[in-house]
Amino acid sequence: MSFLDVLSVIWSGFGVTAEVTLLSLAYGVPFALIFGILQFTTQGWCRHAATIVIEFWRSSPVIILLFVFYYALPLAGLTLQAMSVAALVLGLNIGGYGSQAVRAALQSLDRGQYEAGMAMGLTRIQTLMLIELPQALKAMVPTFVNLLIQLVKGTALVSLITLADMTYKAKSVAQMTFDPASAYMGLLLSYFIICYPLTILGRSLERRLAVAKEGGHV
Amino acid sequence: MTQEHDAKSDDDAIVQIRNLHKWYGPFHALKNISLDVRRGEKIVICGPSGSGKSTLIRCVNGLERYSEGRILANGHLVDHRSDHLRLICQEVGMVFQHFNLFPHLTVMENCTLALTRVRKIPKAEAIEVAQHFLERVRIPEHGNKYPSQLSGGQQQRVAIARSLCMRPKVMLFDEPTSALDPEMIKEVLEVMTGLAREGMTMLCVTHEMGFAREVADRIVFMDAGAIVEEAPPEEFFGAAKHERSRKFLSQLLH
Ligand SMILES: Nc1ncnc2c1ncn2[C@@H]1O[C@H](COP(=O)(O)OP(=O)(O)OP(=O)(O)O)[C@@H](O)[C@H]1O
Ligand SMILES: [Mg+2]
């Protein structure tokens, strides 16, 4: 099997890798926004509860979460499809990190922005949605791109719960050809091909934001 | 005590501050402040750094919570029910030391935001109102720019226009010129003087004594959280009664 053949088998798993990534984002982005905002705006028990949820998803090993949700939940009568488990676990894990970026970006805004909003009679929610979040989101873009790259790399784990992603395909090629070296080199190259453009995108966004900060607008 | 205050109060008072106390933890930041602002009156508050000037005017529109006492703004009790505060904030405008314009919005959007979102008037109408007040602060041509493209003095004038758009009954100013370069202070003070001439009720923390002398009806001098002296400008500048006011004035002049 030529190296090109190896690559083409690996890339036949790209659809699954992409699907896991996109579905994870569908869980992770709302989670990051909602919990980051909760941590920023609430106090007392509500804030504690949000923190506990975030820390659970952020500080548990992803591979163990995957196994628990895939193998242990069915014992409790809840069976989720492998794809759903993968998206949920990867999404909320990355969303846990994302929520900290959201909170930090909101906290780093000048408090005068909030005060000006409240002083003109906006509600707390309007101040958040119209004044604080738009500014914070801009500041968060580079972090979010980095988290996206983390996420893509993290999808390699889903092969462990039977999903036929690129890593899964590489493993099967390795077993079939008894040539793990070229299979895994092909896999490494494949992730690089996906992630490198994202890195470049992240850097260019960062540059544009830095310019915008000086010039004041994007 | 109450009698004295009742005698002092009159129905004309658009802002009534009564026996106000504010603690930051153990720190007593405002000590039994009572002050009435009559409709159309211009009051300048001055005093050394940390004397509680900002804290006092921020209590008036609820940005700061007071611990004891009572404030009425245009007849509404300033408490911490958010719907009450929103009502009060629609009638009491505020201009900040650091302008606090919204950097992600254009000058025009800064000015129309509260009109469309709080007053809920149509956008076209809001733009007309905003344009009117931008003309009044003499920057009609910068509506499409972003705040960072303007000079400090222009930004502060936009901030004034943004407040005026809501047609407030009272304007609060917290050291509106102290973040500005000297050459820009004048343009902002001119706008404020114009506003005063047109009869706006103003409560203004500033150390611009020329402005105070020219427009203030009363000067309120604060020190260590209390009002030490309250007098018309000619009296305050000519013959301040209290040692602390005299000391403050002499430091300001030298
Ligand atoms: N959030 C806070 N927590 C604790 N103390 C505070 C807080 N805000 C203000 N203070 C204290 O209250 C006092 C009054 O503060 P304030 O900002 O009202 O003074 P100021 O007269 O406006 O002074 P400046 O001229 O420096 O603006 C100061 O001693 C300040 O340290
Ligand atoms: Mg102050």
Side-chain angles (χ1 to χ4, degrees):
Chain A
M1 219 177 182
S2 75
F3 191 62
L4 270 183
D5 292 331
V6 170
L7 279 182
S8 88
V9 175
I10 289 173
W11 278 80
S12 71
F14 175 74
V16 172
T17 296
E19 195 181 342
V20 172
T21 304
L22 292 177
L23 283 178
S24 298
L25 287 177
Y27 282 98
V29 172
F31 181 83
L33 286 173
I34 291 170
F35 279 81
I37 289 170
L38 275 179
Q39 261 198 334
F40 175 66
T41 53
T42 62
Q43 277 148 15
W45 65 267
C46 192
R47 187 167 202 275
H48 281 298
T51 306
I52 289 171
V53 173
I54 290 167
E55 290 309 324
F56 171 76
W57 287 107
R58 209 162 65 116
S59 45
S60 309
V62 174
I63 186 162
I64 298 175
L65 287 170
L66 283 173
F67 285 152
V68 166
F69 276 73
Y70 190 64
Y71 295 112
L73 280 190
L75 300 180
L78 186 66
T79 307
L80 295 175
Q81 295 208 315
M83 183 57 85
S84 309
V85 170
L88 184 80
V89 167
L90 292 175
L92 298 193
N93 175 255
I94 217 75
Y97 288 101
S99 70
Q100 298 312 290
V102 172
R103 181 186 51 84
L106 285 168
Q107 277 174 343
S108 70
L109 292 178
D110 176 13
R111 196 176 154 73
Q113 293 291 307
Y114 159 82
E115 291 182 348
M118 297 308 274
M120 61 170 50
L122 297 175
T123 64
R124 180 70 192 93
I125 293 179
Q126 285 176 321
T127 303
L128 183 72
M129 301 306 277
L130 299 169
I131 295 167
E132 296 173 285
L133 258 191
Q135 295 182 57
L137 284 174
K138 269 191 206 171
M140 273 154 25
V141 168
T143 317
F144 266 45
V145 174
N146 282 334
L147 287 175
L148 175 61
I149 295 168
Q150 292 294 114
L151 176 62
V152 173
K153 293 188 294 188
T155 59
L157 289 173
V158 302
S159 57
L160 294 170
I161 55 168
T162 73
L163 289 174
D165 73 326
M166 298 200 311
T167 304
Y168 185 93
K169 299 283 184 191
K171 270 194 267 184
S172 56
V173 171
Q175 274 161 14
M176 207 166 66
T177 59
F178 302 107
D179 182 9
S182 43
Y184 288 118
M185 262 157 47
L187 184 60
L188 189 62
L189 180 66
S190 302
Y191 279 110
F192 181 74
I193 289 169
I194 298 170
C195 291
Y196 189 60
L198 290 175
T199 320
I200 294 179
L201 172 75
R203 246 186 252 141
S204 97
L205 284 173
E206 218 164 325
R207 245 196 319 274
R208 269 179 50 194
L209 283 170
V211 172
K213 217 167 198 176
E214 279 157 32
H217 55 103
V218 178
Chain B
M1 186 89 175
T2 35
Q3 254 196 335
E4 186 192 307
H5 286 305
D6 284 343
K8 230 170 62 176
S9 92
D10 60 76
D11 301 335
D12 238 11
I14 190 161
V15 177
Q16 288 187 357
I17 302 171
R18 281 302 137 75
N19 307 105
L20 196 74
H21 291 268
K22 164 83 188 171
W23 277 272
Y24 287 111
F27 179 70
H28 202 173
L30 293 178
K31 299 170 185 162
N32 200 30
I33 305 275
S34 293
L35 181 68
D36 276 6
V37 186
R38 286 188 301 277
R39 229 169 266 278
E41 198 177 22
K42 293 105 189 92
I43 293 184
V44 162
I45 302 173
C46 61
S49 180
S51 56
K53 309 174 299 287
S54 300
T55 307
L56 175 62
I57 67 164
R58 289 158 57 84
C59 281
V60 173
N61 67 349
L63 280 184
E64 212 74 65
R65 228 177 236 265
Y66 51 90
S67 318
E68 248 177 61
R70 188 168 72 117
I71 300 182
L72 290 179
N74 203 26
H76 307 291
L77 181 67
V78 180
D79 59 12
H80 280 84
R81 299 261 311 272
S82 59
D83 47 334
H84 288 191
L85 278 187
R86 274 207 308 287
L87 209 70
I88 286 154
C89 287
Q90 292 179 42
E91 296 174 351
V92 178
M94 185 167 213
V95 174
F96 300 87
Q97 179 175 359
H98 297 286
F99 332 137
N100 299 1
L101 292 176
F102 307 129
H104 62 300
L105 300 178
T106 63
V107 164
M108 182 54 82
E109 289 164 346
N110 265 276
C111 292
T112 56
L113 186 69
L115 288 172
T116 54
R117 301 293 178 146
V118 180
R119 291 247 197 270
K120 311 238 184 268
I121 70 172
K123 188 151 181 224
E125 209 176 304
I127 288 176
E128 247 172 66
V129 174
Q131 189 60 33
H132 168 78
F133 284 106
L134 285 173
E135 270 159 34
R136 193 152 143 193
V137 300
R138 297 199 300 274
I139 25 180
E141 71 280 18
H142 295 310
N144 293 322
K145 290 194 178 164
Y146 284 86
S148 60
Q149 294 169 294
L150 302 181
S151 73
Q154 289 171 326
Q155 289 187 47
Q156 191 60 300
R157 284 185 284 147
V158 170
I160 294 173
R162 178 175 75 174
S163 268
L164 291 177
C165 282
M166 292 291 278
R167 300 189 192 275
K169 306 278 194 312
V170 183
M171 286 285 285
L172 308 173
F173 294 85
D174 191 359
E175 305 206 31
T177 57
S178 52
L180 294 175
D181 294 335
E183 65 269 25
M184 293 170 186
I185 291 178
K186 199 166 145 258
E187 63 190 51
V188 171
L189 289 180
E190 275 169 11
V191 165
M192 290 171 61
T193 307
L195 207 57
R197 294 247 162 76
E198 287 161 41
M200 177 61 79
T201 309
M202 293 163 68
L203 201 51
C204 182
V205 176
T206 181
H207 291 154
E208 292 296 330
M209 289 304 141
F211 170 80
R213 203 186 282 268
E214 195 182 332
V215 302
D217 298 305
R218 262 190 296 160
I219 312 268
V220 169
F221 174 74
M222 290 182 68
D223 192 17
I227 294 182
V228 174
E229 182 158 358
E230 216 184 299
E234 50 284 5
E235 198 178 315
F236 183 76
F237 292 113
K241 286 195 208 71
H242 290 265
E243 178 58 34
R244 276 184 288 177
S245 334
R246 283 198 296 271
K247 198 167 151 225
F248 173 76
L249 280 173
S250 74
Q251 275 166 356
L252 212 58
L253 296 175
H254 299 297

